[in-house]
Amino acid sequence: MARKFIVGGNWKCNPASAKEANSLLKEWKKGLPNVDKSKVDVVICPPALWMSTLGQSIEGLGMEVCSQNVGKTDAGAFTGEWTAGNLLDLGIKWTLIGHSERRTKYGETDADVAEKVGKCQDIGVNVILCIGETLEEREGGKTDEVNKRQLGAVIPKVKDWDKIVIAYEPVWAIGTGKVATPDQAEETQAAIREYLKSAVSAAVADKVRIQYGGSVTPENCAELITKPNIDGFLVGGASLKP
């Protein structure tokens, strides 16, 4: 089955100001052709406070705005959070969930990730679900075990797999300049697809898009994308360049 490529740009807490963010998008407008949505989906994840103000410029490039995070509750007394419904109210149809920085720096658990995915499924928000192992886990031969555990927590919450994209991000490769070799990435993502086949169904395993993330650059993406189980990229620092 031919799967449509998907590329995400996760800006994290960058750049330092909205002015710089607008300047970057203006540079993109001058130097990039508009995205052909029939061939690839492109989502950009700016800092939360800028999602609305930058939305028109991002969409003008044929891209979509994606939140970097979402709450695990509905509306209520949850200071500092926002809900899946809040995102839709702003016209934002995508969110990341489970990024390794959320898991490692803010204590987000597999159960938290599952609750967030469930809320997005309930209301129809598309999710880029981030999974991946630490260096210690990879060196301990636990890569597949970790990915299965993180996916297994979420599977019971998913009703519509068309609204799920999986981003495999080896934690040891994020922002380090290290990158899994194309063969390492392909082997791991093939194992993820095989797990979905047994845990969900062959049809779901065949259609779900799996991105690779972890120090993706223009130099290494050309070979990575030739691999049959890599359906796109989740890009960090490289997505902040003109």
Side-chain angles (χ1 to χ4, degrees), residues 97-177:
I97 295 179
H99 191 278
S100 65
E101 289 161 7
R102 300 296 313 172
R103 295 178 190 261
T104 61
K105 296 181 179 180
Y106 299 97
E108 207 164 89
T109 66
D110 292 342
D112 292 332
V113 171
E115 289 300 318
K116 292 181 177 192
V117 170
K119 292 298 181 185
C120 289
Q121 285 276 293
D122 288 345
I123 204 166
V125 173
N126 298 292
V127 170
I128 297 177
L129 172 66
C130 302
I131 63 172
E133 82 284 6
T134 64
L135 181 59
E136 182 181 3
E137 289 165 338
R138 170 163 280 274
E139 291 178 343
K142 296 182 178 179
T143 295
D144 290 345
E145 178 186 330
V146 170
N147 288 334
K148 287 178 181 179
R149 188 199 79 225
Q150 293 176 346
L151 273 174
V154 169
I155 286 171
K157 299 288 186 179
V158 180
K159 308 166 190 172
D160 183 358
W161 283 95
D162 288 336
K163 292 191 172 293
I164 300 289
V165 172
I166 297 169
Y168 166 61
E169 293 195 298
V171 179
W172 49 271
I174 298 173
T176 63

Side-chain angles (χ1 to χ4, degrees), residues 214-228:
S215 297
V216 176
T217 67
E219 290 71 37
N220 61 36
C221 68
E223 186 176 0
L224 285 163
I225 201 62
T226 64
K227 300 299 184 180

Side-chain angles (χ1 to χ4, degrees), residues 2-234:
R3 293 178 293 269
K4 187 179 179 183
F5 290 143
I6 178 165
V7 177
N10 181 15
W11 288 3
K12 308 184 181 185
C13 280
N14 297 296
S17 69
K19 181 179 179 181
E20 290 176 69
N22 276 302
S23 295
L24 175 62
L25 292 173
K26 287 177 182 176
E27 287 298 314
W28 286 5
K29 185 69 174 176
K30 288 190 289 185
L32 292 174
N34 278 14
V35 172
D36 184 346
K37 292 183 179 181
S38 68
K39 296 180 179 178
V40 61
D41 290 322
V42 179
V43 300
I44 300 298
C45 315
L49 294 176
W50 304 339
M51 287 192 293
S52 292
T53 56
L54 298 179
Q56 187 172 354
S57 296
I58 290 171
E59 290 165 6
L61 291 163
M63 306 174 185
E64 293 186 76
V65 178
C66 177
S67 179
Q68 297 177 20
N69 189 28
V70 68
K72 63 180 181 179
T73 64
D74 295 320
F78 304 105
T79 302
E81 294 291 308
W82 58 91
T83 70
N86 293 153
L87 292 179
L88 278 189
D89 191 49
L90 292 174
I92 296 166
K93 300 173 184 176
W94 287 89
T95 185
L96 304 183
I97 295 179
H99 191 278
S100 65
E101 289 161 7
R102 300 296 313 172
R103 295 178 190 261
T104 61
K105 296 181 179 180
Y106 299 97
E108 207 164 89
T109 66
D110 292 342
D112 292 332
V113 171
E115 289 300 318
K116 292 181 177 192
V117 170
K119 292 298 181 185
C120 289
Q121 285 276 293
D122 288 345
I123 204 166
V125 173
N126 298 292
V127 170
I128 297 177
L129 172 66
C130 302
I131 63 172
E133 82 284 6
T134 64
L135 181 59
E136 182 181 3
E137 289 165 338
R138 170 163 280 274
E139 291 178 343
K142 296 182 178 179
T143 295
D144 290 345
E145 178 186 330
V146 170
N147 288 334
K148 287 178 181 179
R149 188 199 79 225
Q150 293 176 346
L151 273 174
V154 169
I155 286 171
K157 299 288 186 179
V158 180
K159 308 166 190 172
D160 183 358
W161 283 95
D162 288 336
K163 292 191 172 293
I164 300 289
V165 172
I166 297 169
Y168 166 61
E169 293 195 298
V171 179
W172 49 271
I174 298 173
T176 63
K178 297 178 181 179
V179 61
T181 67
D183 287 342
Q184 284 176 319
E186 168 62 19
E187 180 183 20
T188 303
Q189 297 194 191
I192 291 169
R193 204 174 297 284
E194 192 63 28
Y195 173 66
L196 287 173
K197 184 177 178 180
S198 62
V200 187
S201 72
V204 164
D206 191 42
K207 73 178 180 179
V208 167
R209 295 179 289 179
I210 307 176
Q211 297 173 300
Y212 173 77
S215 297
V216 176
T217 67
E219 290 71 37
N220 61 36
C221 68
E223 186 176 0
L224 285 163
I225 201 62
T226 64
K227 300 299 184 180
N229 286 292
I230 298 177
D231 304 313
F233 303 105
L234 184 57

